[in-house]
Amino acid sequence: MRALTTVLALSLAIPGAVSGFSGNGRALYREAQIYLSPSSARGGQGESIRSMGIIDRLEKAAGLLKGAQGQATSPREEEALGKLLGRAYNQMGVEYHKQKDFSNAIWAEEQAIEYRGDTSAVFQMNLGAMYSDSGDYYNAARALERARELGGPPQFKDRIINNLVGAYIRDGQTRDPGSYQLATRVLEDELYNRGEDFNLLVMLGRTYRLEGEPQRALEAWDRARALKAFDPGMRKAYVGLQSSIAVKRDFVTTEARHFKIEFNDQTHGHLADKFLEMFEEAYDEVGLKFDAQWEGMEQVTISVYASTEFQSAVQIAWAGGVHQANRISLKVNPSWSDPIYRNLIFHEYAHHIVDFKAGGKSLPAWVQEGLAMHQEPKLAAKGFYKALGNAAVRNTLLPLSDLNGSFSRLPAEKVMLAYGQSYDFVRFLLGSNPVSSFVRLLTLRGQGVPISQAFEQSFSMSLADAEEAWRAWLGDRIAKSRARRVRQRTERQSAGQQRDGDEPTTRDIRQR
Ligand SMILES: [Zn+2]
């Protein structure tokens, strides 16, 4: 598991604005103070409070403060207690977050925001970090957008922007590639407001690259370079970007910077330019993600087997290509549309990169296929999710150990399921880990580390635990989808409409 995102605790002391109260409000408030800072308590009581767990203490204090708030005699007093409650819940969130109990951390932070009133950029920033560490980048981005809106102290601004851009990028990698664009927009906005800024421009170049806008990426990095010299790592990335753009401007028919292409049937040679361009895009995007771009990388030869008999029915990625050491074989149907070609090419190039990073060592098929599917720009996931949903409902999911060998050895009816499971399991892992965890896995594998050990070292949990957690996550989504469907059916029935089937739909499971 990667390092936790920083979250901030705030002082639990409050300026002495609380004095009125009716009834026993003052006593409750005083007692709460002891639970909040037990070092001030004396004698036996202090000792027993100090021996409590911090979350229990904060719970107790929050309960007392709520009691006191009920007895407040002025709005000012009520507000001061709300602030203190906010800080106590924030502290509780921080503690849960430390324990990696993200759902309780999120709950506590939401309480903090409710009691404090939604006016604290720090609380929203913390909430964003908690969602992010829980793998929910969509809600992380929402909280961080709110933090950005609230502004807050200048020293938090950069952190909010960094976390927000990071959340959008990871949302792009794991859920919706459209989020790359949102990251770009945040950075463009910020640059508009602040003026030129080295770090923002470097990030902007990265998000443009992820978006597939290399020319704009280069412009951003040129602006950054004008402010400050690049370090060697950035210089290398810059040169790589520059040369990949130069290649696209000046295309040769059958050979590009990183690829050479050959057709078994020259009548389809007109596809060469298009394919080379798509491979260069894959080189840029997939290579960037997997940290696999460098000068002097050996050229990859692509052999295209174009056959008009090749049925358009076999439009599933796995049937389309075979990858080997430095050669990729593509079987294509010349009547396919560009998005199908692009998916196929990104998929096969991902296999190539994954193989390369793992030094040619054997990998479980679920790693290969899951990662390759995640690189497809417009993966048609519907069929895979249908197979997955049906298997989950019928309790016929394949054990992960069945997904190690080539899927072509599975009975035909299990093939879609095997791909669906691989895709979803990788999606699960990418939800709480960066792509670099996979890069680490591949690198360790390349050093000869057995897969189970490499997995534990890269994801900080055993493969068996990960499989179990994934099954629970899937079960959870299925249960939610069922509940939703029951509700919808009831609504439809009361509206006098026809009922639908019981299987979870693709959309149901894909939804978080
Ligand atoms: Zn594949």
Side-chain angles (χ1 to χ4, degrees):
M1 201 75 43
R2 79 206 165 100
L4 290 173
T5 313
T6 309
V7 295
L8 298 173
L10 296 174
S11 157
L12 291 170
I14 195 160
V18 188
S19 56
F21 291 122
S22 57
N24 63 344
R26 181 185 296 271
L28 291 172
Y29 169 67
R30 287 240 167 99
E31 202 186 340
Q33 291 284 39
I34 299 174
Y35 282 94
L36 290 177
S37 49
S39 56
S40 65
R42 282 184 207 95
Q45 192 199 13
E47 214 166 284
S48 78
I49 291 177
R50 277 190 292 274
S51 71
M52 287 169 77
I54 180 158
I55 290 177
D56 290 341
R57 273 204 289 112
L58 291 165
E59 286 269 17
K60 178 79 182 161
L64 293 162
L65 288 171
K66 281 183 227 172
Q69 199 182 33
Q71 315 259 350
T73 50
S74 71
R76 190 165 149 258
E77 209 168 83
E78 207 180 312
E79 198 195 317
L81 283 162
K83 277 189 184 166
L84 192 50
L85 266 165
R87 288 177 173 213
Y89 274 114
N90 177 63
Q91 178 77 49
M92 208 186 291
V94 170
E95 297 299 330
Y96 276 125
H97 180 257
K98 257 188 228 162
Q99 298 174 6
K100 299 192 179 176
D101 180 348
F102 301 123
S103 62
N104 272 318
I106 289 165
W107 168 81
E109 203 60 45
E110 276 168 350
Q111 294 290 304
I113 291 165
E114 200 178 313
Y115 282 103
R116 169 74 163 78
D118 185 12
T119 53
S120 163
V122 172
F123 288 3
Q124 290 286 2
M125 185 174 80
N126 284 351
L127 183 62
M130 289 160 186
Y131 270 122
S132 211
D133 288 337
S134 80
D136 183 346
Y137 305 112
Y138 174 81
N139 277 311
R142 268 180 37 167
L144 289 160
E145 283 283 9
R146 179 67 185 144
R148 185 173 169 232
E149 217 172 279
L150 290 167
Q155 69 269 31
F156 297 147
K157 267 203 155 162
D158 282 343
R159 186 180 299 173
I160 291 170
I161 296 299
N162 285 340
N163 288 359
L164 178 58
V165 168
Y168 277 136
I169 288 178
R170 300 194 68 201
D171 194 46
Q173 287 164 336
T174 53
R175 194 186 62 90
D176 179 1
S179 294
Y180 294 140
Q181 233 167 315
L182 299 175
T184 302
R185 203 188 59 196
V186 168
L187 291 165
E188 291 279 21
D189 270 10
E190 210 58 26
L191 282 159
Y192 179 81
N193 293 328
R194 287 197 216 175
E196 298 294 271
D197 177 292
F198 181 80
N199 289 328
L200 292 177
L201 286 165
V202 167
M203 283 197 277
L204 183 65
R206 293 209 173 107
T207 60
Y208 270 133
R209 284 194 89 168
L210 288 166
E211 246 189 76
E213 295 273 6
Q215 190 60 50
R216 290 196 161 156
L218 191 68
E219 282 162 23
W221 282 359
D222 276 331
R223 281 159 66 192
R225 230 161 41 117
L227 299 174
K228 198 171 103 184
F230 281 161
D231 64 23
M234 267 309 291
R235 208 153 47 226
K236 209 165 108 189
Y238 178 82
V239 171
L241 175 62
Q242 215 177 20
S243 51
S244 78
I245 292 171
V247 166
K248 278 180 194 162
R249 263 194 226 112
D250 182 23
F251 236 90
V252 287
T253 321
T254 55
E255 197 163 355
R257 187 169 181 80
H258 306 104
F259 303 95
K260 205 165 29 191
I261 201 161
E262 52 186 48
F263 279 73
N264 76 325
D265 174 354
Q266 276 310 317
T267 53
H268 300 297
H270 63 278
L271 293 169
D273 278 2
K274 187 198 296 206
F275 282 13
L276 280 173
E277 197 158 354
M278 288 179 183
F279 268 105
E280 287 292 342
E281 281 173 37
Y283 172 87
D284 281 347
E285 291 178 33
V286 182
L288 181 69
K289 266 191 226 166
F290 285 87
D291 187 24
Q293 293 170 317
W294 56 94
E295 291 304 306
M297 188 175 180
E298 213 182 320
Q299 222 177 21
V300 179
T301 303
I302 304 147
S303 305
V304 181
Y305 300 91
S307 154
T308 40
E309 289 125 20
F310 195 47
Q311 291 302 307
S312 56
V314 257
Q315 286 184 1
I316 13 182
W318 60 270
V322 182
H323 57 96
Q324 295 154 336
N326 236 18
R327 177 176 291 273
I328 297 173
S329 306
L330 284 184
K331 206 167 155 194
V332 301
N333 180 335
S335 68
W336 280 352
S337 65
D338 285 4
I340 294 175
Y341 283 137
R342 187 173 273 111
N343 278 344
L344 179 63
I345 284 170
F346 274 62
H347 184 109
E348 293 308 322
Y349 188 66
H351 280 319
H352 179 72
I353 288 297
V354 166
D355 251 4
F356 188 84
K357 289 300 262 189
K361 296 272 187 344
S362 69
L363 287 167
W366 69 261
V367 174
Q368 270 288 10
E369 296 307 334
L371 283 177
M373 290 166 86
H374 274 273
Q375 308 318 313
E376 292 184 39
K378 292 215 164 87
L379 176 78
K382 206 171 166 181
F384 300 117
Y385 270 105
K386 196 166 186 326
L388 185 59
N390 289 344
V393 169
R394 288 169 196 150
N395 212 6
T396 53
L397 289 171
L398 299 163
L400 198 59
S401 52
D402 280 5
L403 303 179
N404 287 338
S406 166
F407 295 173
S408 57
R409 278 184 233 135
L410 290 169
E413 74 275 9
K414 293 285 184 197
V415 171
M416 282 301 269
L417 175 60
Y419 279 90
Q421 269 191 239
S422 303
Y423 177 79
D424 204 55
F425 186 56
V426 166
R427 179 173 165 230
F428 167 75
L429 293 170
L430 285 174
S432 45
N433 301 274
V435 178
S436 59
S437 298
F438 272 107
V439 174
R440 185 167 153 74
L441 172 84
L442 300 176
T443 309
L444 286 168
R445 191 67 201 98
Q447 291 160 2
V449 179
I451 188 71
S452 57
Q453 229 170 300
F455 185 89
E456 280 198 43
Q457 284 180 39
S458 310
F459 295 95
S460 303
M461 61 162 106
S462 73
L463 201 44
D465 287 352
E467 183 181 8
E468 204 185 321
W470 166 74
R471 279 182 185 247
W473 183 52
L474 177 63
D476 196 44
R477 283 177 290 159
I478 303 264
K480 277 188 191 145
S481 107
R482 272 186 175 156
R484 194 157 42 232
R485 294 177 74 76
V486 167
R487 205 167 52 237
Q488 283 166 353
R489 196 183 312 140
T490 320
E491 283 163 14
R492 268 198 308 272
Q493 275 170 349
S494 60
Q497 288 171 6
Q498 265 195 330
R499 54 178 284 181
D500 216 330
D502 286 319
E503 302 298 356
T505 64
T506 308
R507 180 192 303 235
D508 286 336
I509 311 177
R510 294 195 87 186
Q511 264 168 3
R512 316 199 125 227

